Amino acid sequence: MADTIEIIDLHAGIEGKEILKGVSLKVNTGEIHAIMGPNGSGKSTLAYTMMGHPKYKLISGDIRINGESIIHLPPNQRALKGLFLGFQYPLEIPGVSLSNFLRISYNATRKNEPMLVRDFRKMLEDKFEVVGMDRSFATRYLNEGFSGGEKKKAEVVQLAVLRPKFAVLDETDSGLDIDALKLVSDGINSIKSSEVGIMLITHYQRILRYVKPQFVHVLVKGKVEVSGGPELAEKLEQEGYTWIQGAEEEPDSAAPQIAT
Amino acid sequence: MAEMTQQLVKIDEEYVETYSESKNEPSWLKKFRIDSLKSYLTLPEEQSNLYTKYALNLNVNLPVLEQKLYAKTDPKSASLGEIAQGIEKGYYYVSTQSETFASRNIKELDSKGVVFCDLHEAIEKHSDLLGRIFEQKAIPPNSDKYAALNSALFSSGWLVYFPKGLVLDTPLRVRFYLNSTKPYFSQTWIYAERGSQGALLTEGYGAEIAGTASELVEAYVKDDASVKYSNIQNYSEDTVVLANKKALCGKDGRITWILGYFGGRAERSRLESSFDGDGASAEDIEVVFGSGYQRYDLVSDLSHVAQHTKGRILCNSVLKDSSRSVFKGMIRIGKDAKASNAYLAGHAILLSPDAKSDAIPGLEILTNEVKATHSASVSQIDPDQIFYMMTRGLPEDESKKFIVLGFIEPGISRIDSEELRDTIHALIEAKWHGMKGLVKKVQKEVLFEEETQAKTQSKDIFEGHYKYR
Ligand SMILES: Nc1ncnc2c1ncn2[C@@H]1O[C@H](COP(=O)(O)OP(=O)(O)OP(=O)(O)O)[C@@H](O)[C@H]1O
Ligand SMILES: [Mg+2]
């Protein structure tokens, strides 16, 4: 039976400002949902709120995995429940190697089946290969000095290693060259199975040619204004967001962009 | 009975003279000691931000030392065997204030022309070399009050000599255990002849006593020679540590300092890398992990005298509880030091609102065509970094610990001993959880495993993809 994550009438904000104004979504394992929407519409806020970023405050509503509310859990316990966030801006952690970090994470999320260093290494190397990353990245410090694209690839490597039940990928396709986009898509597809539900936040139709969503949702000013099938993404590519109710003027996209 | 004797002893010229004679020291050394005592008595008290501002008293002066002179060895102190535990095969000494044990293969060094011995043997067998060193003393007694005090009173020491062209891959090691409140004054001399390469790795531990340790280290790095000196300071949290270190680097000579500060109630450290020959270079990496009420007052200076010289200093401090640190660095580029390059960075992470840290970089540049940069920061752990790690399943406390370990990793990864790196990780783990004291046994759950540990990164950590926050 499929696992389900449910977002129910979610209101959330940051620094006293309400950003999400009633978001409801339901994602089952085996499904891919694309989340699109103008800059500043609240996509990253949704991702952070789902994962439990301490700066993002939940005002009302609920997030449930298989019917069980996770909103009072710290981020690490949400991870243990199977939730993963691919960051729009991955953080750099100097002095902590990617492979050490991932092995510790892997063992933390799979307490009953920890992996030996050697086996883990092999697995990691396979994942690097899928996204076309040199294995030397394993011993480099986590994201430190990685290029924008390398950081995104490394997020996909982490995703592939940790194999969560639900992955929220926040603009994992941004900043990638054409070849890299293909490789990252391969990476995502390599984990795409009946066992994982994906929420793919993106601005571009491009990645959706490789990673094919069954559902597309458009977030505008903190609300899901339109939902549909893959054809919706194409329409957005052609016509932009202005035809969607509530998005005619673009005050939000003119709002200052904050690196979250 | 001991009490009575104690009252009578004064540390004065006569005391120093008698001491020197009792050790059969050459007369030049006796004179050196007497002159040093005079310097000590005439030099003004040292001022430190850390002590005045935070009201810390080092409490090292003659009356206090006189009281402590006849202290007994702590009966609970570790034996030489216990102290040697875990040390890897190689050339090492294990020592306390009263005993010294030399690893058997130190004799092998003779055939290579390498000298590695204690003060006693240095005076007995290598007084010519010692005399040569004292003629060009890198840290003359009048450099500062505590250097003068040390120079008058040192009763322990280590002499290292690398002959011309010799390359020694294994580091020489000294593991010292402070087992009594009796003041410990030592000098270490590393003399690296032209084209030689070698390393000395030292560790200081101690019993839970209010000890006093004064350590002076000098490196004479001749043309094309390369010396690496590493020290892990892990004395008890009641011990006061005074350190003076200096390297004199000849043409294309290179000094590397790797210093880890974990123990002591307070450490006051003065370090200088001096570039006297063209193309000389230094790398100084210092890491601090303070907890409780520990105080660290650290200075590292670069003196660029000759051309094309290159100095790099990084001091990363982590301060927990009410611990404090001051890191001061001065880049001096003299008028003849054209095309020199200096980098100085002091960064600190504060883990508690009561922890404090200051980084004070200074520049003194007397010529053009040089590059000198410095950076300093004091901050808490970035909450976004913590969040990032937590999203991968690590609890908050673990996440913080890893970020902190990563922060001091540039220092630790450069310690040339896997066993010692493990000990340091275990020590930090213990300090993290509020425990103190010597960590003898390494917990099995080692934080970072072999794979990245064993490889001491050879590339210059200040270049390439590394970035310091
Ligand atoms: N720290 C903050 N303080 C104040 N406002 C913030 C903060 N972080 C985000 N916001 C605001 O919240 C709104 C939603 O931002 P969010 O990052 O969720 O948008 P987004 O849909 O992900 O945009 P993009 O497509 O540009 O990534 C924006 O108006 C943004 O300015
Ligand atoms: Mg965003």
Side-chain angles (χ1 to χ4, degrees), chain A residues 57-70:
Chain A
K57 297 278 179 272
L58 191 113
I59 300 162
S60 65
D62 204 356
I63 304 166
R64 293 179 195 159
I65 292 179
N66 295 337
E68 190 190 336
S69 176
I70 59 163

Side-chain angles (χ1 to χ4, degrees), chain B residues 24-43:
Chain B
N24 288 324
E25 293 183 351
S27 56
W28 56 260
L29 185 50
K30 183 166 79 180
K31 182 172 182 306
F32 176 85
R33 288 182 181 278
I34 292 167
D35 292 346
S36 299
L37 187 67
K38 283 182 187 142
S39 291
Y40 172 75
L41 294 169
T42 42
L43 283 164

Side-chain angles (χ1 to χ4, degrees), chain A residues 43-236:
Chain A
K43 302 181 297 296
S44 293
T45 303
L46 175 62
Y48 284 134
T49 308
M50 287 176 73
M51 203 71 226
H53 193 300
K55 275 194 219 152
Y56 291 78
K57 297 278 179 272
L58 191 113
I59 300 162
S60 65
D62 204 356
I63 304 166
R64 293 179 195 159
I65 292 179
N66 295 337
E68 190 190 336
S69 176
I70 59 163
I71 56 173
H72 299 295
L73 298 180
N76 59 309
Q77 286 185 30
R78 297 185 195 204
L80 302 191
K81 297 269 179 215
L83 193 55
F84 177 93
L85 171 59
F87 281 62
Q88 184 174 1
Y89 305 107
L91 277 292
E92 298 187 1
I93 316 285
V96 178
S97 78
L98 177 56
S99 68
N100 263 324
F101 172 63
L102 259 185
R103 192 171 41 78
I104 290 155
S105 303
Y106 182 89
N107 290 340
T109 49
R110 267 156 239 255
K111 284 225 158 52
N112 27 8
E113 37 175 329
M115 214 186 245
L116 293 173
V117 174
R118 187 161 36 89
D119 299 342
F120 184 82
R121 252 214 162 145
K122 177 80 190 68
M123 194 244 292
L124 189 57
E125 277 169 11
D126 292 345
K127 309 296 182 197
F128 274 131
E129 210 172 299
V130 176
V131 298
M133 261 179 129
D134 192 274
R135 63 176 66 172
S136 64
F137 278 92
T139 50
R140 278 181 61 176
Y141 294 154
L142 184 54
N143 293 327
E144 197 187 22
F146 287 22
S147 76
E150 287 163 353
K151 283 182 185 166
K152 294 300 178 67
K153 286 183 184 177
E155 292 290 287
V156 175
V157 168
Q158 295 190 34
L159 168 70
V161 167
L162 298 176
R163 288 192 152 269
K165 275 190 207 151
F166 302 102
V168 182
L169 303 179
D170 193 356
E171 296 198 24
T172 303
D173 58 334
S174 296
L176 294 176
D177 65 45
I178 296 159
D179 294 338
L181 183 74
K182 177 81 176 62
L183 290 165
V184 159
S185 303
D186 290 347
I188 298 171
N189 285 327
S190 78
I191 64 137
K192 185 183 80 178
S193 69
S194 57
E195 265 128 59
V196 60
I198 296 175
M199 284 171 66
L200 195 64
I201 297 173
T202 181
H203 284 293
Y204 306 105
Q205 159 74 8
R206 253 180 356 172
I207 189 166
L208 303 180
R209 288 199 196 111
Y210 301 116
V211 184
K212 296 206 160 58
Q214 293 91 0
F215 308 94
V216 176
H217 310 276
V218 185
L219 198 63
V220 179
K221 290 191 201 162
K223 278 187 181 158
V224 177
E225 289 291 355
V226 192
S227 291
E231 72 291 341
L232 179 54
E234 240 154 276
K235 183 174 158 100
L236 292 170

